Amino acid sequence: MDIDDARLLTRRELLAHGFDDTEIRARRRRGELCSVRRGAYARPGVLPSRPEARHAVQVRAAVGQVSPDAVVSHLSAAVLHGLPVWGDPLRRVQLTRGRRSGARRTGDLHVHAAPLEPWETTSVDGVAVTSLPRTLADVGRHLGFEQAVVVADAALWRKLVTRAELDEALDAARGRPGVPAARRALAFARWGAESVGESRSRVAMLRAGLPEPVLQWVVRSATGVALGRADFGWPELRTFGEFDGREKYGRLVPTGRTAGDVVYAEKLREDAMRGEGLGAVRWSWADLDPFDATAARLRRTFRR
């Protein structure tokens, strides 16, 4: 067995191929192996650095070490469904067993015990996970409002789930702890927030008492020509807002152009939109917490 070619190695596999615990420990000391979780290893160079991707590796390592009836759930399921996670260190792999008792939690594993119907499970790359509606309901029940909105917004933006499916998942969870909180978070989730920063901005606006914006507002000239699209718009207040995250400009750079080209194009777009008598406010990650100064700028810019 060539450990240099493997992404994930279990202790059982290593022992079966002639390694012993002494050699495993020696390779870990030399940095040739790193621990993914207890009894599972990988070469340091092949472990992803992005938290969600790294957690996905940990999930796959855990699945082979727990009861076969356990289904990946909660934030771990959200990660396997490809959704972004904010505000959680992803220390524990989360799974659910379809029973009413027997939950347990360790330093790197949380096994929930809850009713789990057949239609509430699916498979992602061969791993059993809770369906996306069930996953979002569980995230809403167990996490804070802002964290749940981030995940649900992303699912709606990518059109992976419908509002009706979310309502059905919440109805199925009726009577379980945290359902009222989940209802509030999922009711606030919207299609139109295309990044974690935009979802967090929406929550910040809500808490600041600002009017709810139109998401992905297309600004048009007096003759109906589309001038550009804003992250947030308040048409009646003649104002638009933009969240500037680094990933935004990286995502918008087409082949053959530079980031400078994109920034310049952004300036021309904004100038054209301002030319229609609109006020504009931009903010970044550093302005989200606290959001008071940005909220004040928006209020000063609103034009009735």
Side-chain angles (χ1 to χ4, degrees):
M1 183 183 195
D2 184 356
I3 69 166
D4 290 339
D5 295 331
R7 286 190 61 82
L8 185 66
L9 302 161
T10 66
R11 175 177 176 272
R12 180 180 299 176
E13 290 171 329
L14 290 169
L15 294 177
H17 284 82
F19 293 83
D20 58 28
D21 287 329
T22 301
E23 186 173 0
I24 294 172
R25 287 193 294 269
R27 286 179 176 267
R28 289 183 61 193
R29 285 195 301 270
R30 293 196 299 266
E32 297 171 8
L33 284 176
C34 64
S35 178
V36 175
R37 56 174 286 109
R38 184 175 181 180
Y41 310 94
R43 285 194 307 112
V46 302
L47 278 179
S49 58
R50 193 167 63 89
E52 290 94 339
R54 192 179 185 94
H55 187 68
V57 176
Q58 295 168 333
V59 169
R60 293 180 182 280
V63 165
Q65 300 176 343
V66 297
S67 173
D69 68 342
V71 175
V72 179
S73 63
H74 298 74
L75 273 187
S76 295
V79 166
L80 292 195
H81 281 295
L83 298 176
V85 171
W86 174 82
D88 190 282
L90 295 173
R91 291 195 187 98
R92 293 186 178 92
V93 172
Q94 298 187 74
L95 304 106
T96 294
R97 299 183 69 185
R99 50 174 60 187
R100 297 189 178 277
S101 62
R104 63 187 178 94
R105 183 162 59 177
T106 65
D108 59 5
L109 185 69
H110 188 171
V111 179
H112 301 262
L116 192 60
E117 301 296 339
W119 60 83
E120 293 179 308
T121 66
T122 186
S123 176
V124 175
D125 295 332
V127 177
V129 302
T130 49
S131 66
L132 192 48
R134 168 65 187 258
T135 297
L136 295 176
D138 285 342
V139 168
R141 291 193 305 113
H142 287 269
L143 290 184
F145 181 84
E146 188 170 8
Q147 295 163 299
V149 168
V150 164
V151 180
D153 271 1
L156 289 169
W157 171 251
R158 300 175 191 183
K159 298 183 179 180
L160 301 176
V161 69
T162 66
R163 179 67 59 184
E165 289 171 333
L166 293 180
D167 291 341
E168 289 173 5
L170 289 169
D171 288 342
R174 185 176 292 135
R176 298 176 197 163
V179 170
R183 287 193 184 279
R184 289 190 292 271
L186 298 188
F188 184 72
R190 298 281 187 277
W191 178 90
E194 61 179 349
S195 70
V196 173
E198 291 179 28
S199 293
R200 292 193 60 209
S201 296
R202 295 183 56 238
V203 175
M205 292 173 197
L206 174 70
R207 291 172 174 168
L210 294 172
E212 184 171 353
V214 174
L215 304 182
Q216 305 304 321
W217 181 37
V218 177
V219 177
R220 299 183 181 276
S221 69
T223 59
V225 176
L227 302 175
R229 186 183 69 179
D231 297 335
F232 307 97
W234 292 266
E236 294 181 357
L237 300 174
R238 307 299 296 158
T239 300
F240 66 91
E242 295 279 293
F243 173 77
D244 285 335
R246 283 182 179 272
E247 71 279 1
K248 180 175 186 176
Y249 296 103
R251 184 175 64 243
L252 295 176
V253 178
T255 303
R257 303 189 68 189
T258 67
D261 295 332
V262 172
V263 171
Y264 182 63
E266 279 282 294
K267 180 182 183 305
L268 294 180
R269 176 185 67 90
E270 184 170 314
D271 287 347
M273 293 162 68
R274 287 178 184 268
E276 294 300 307
L278 300 176
V281 177
R282 287 182 174 271
W283 61 91
S284 65
W285 286 106
D287 303 311
L288 286 176
D289 190 13
F291 193 69
D292 298 1
T294 303
R297 287 167 54 211
L298 282 165
R299 289 191 180 96
R300 289 194 299 269
T301 308
F302 288 157
R303 302 171 182 179
R304 298 189 182 277

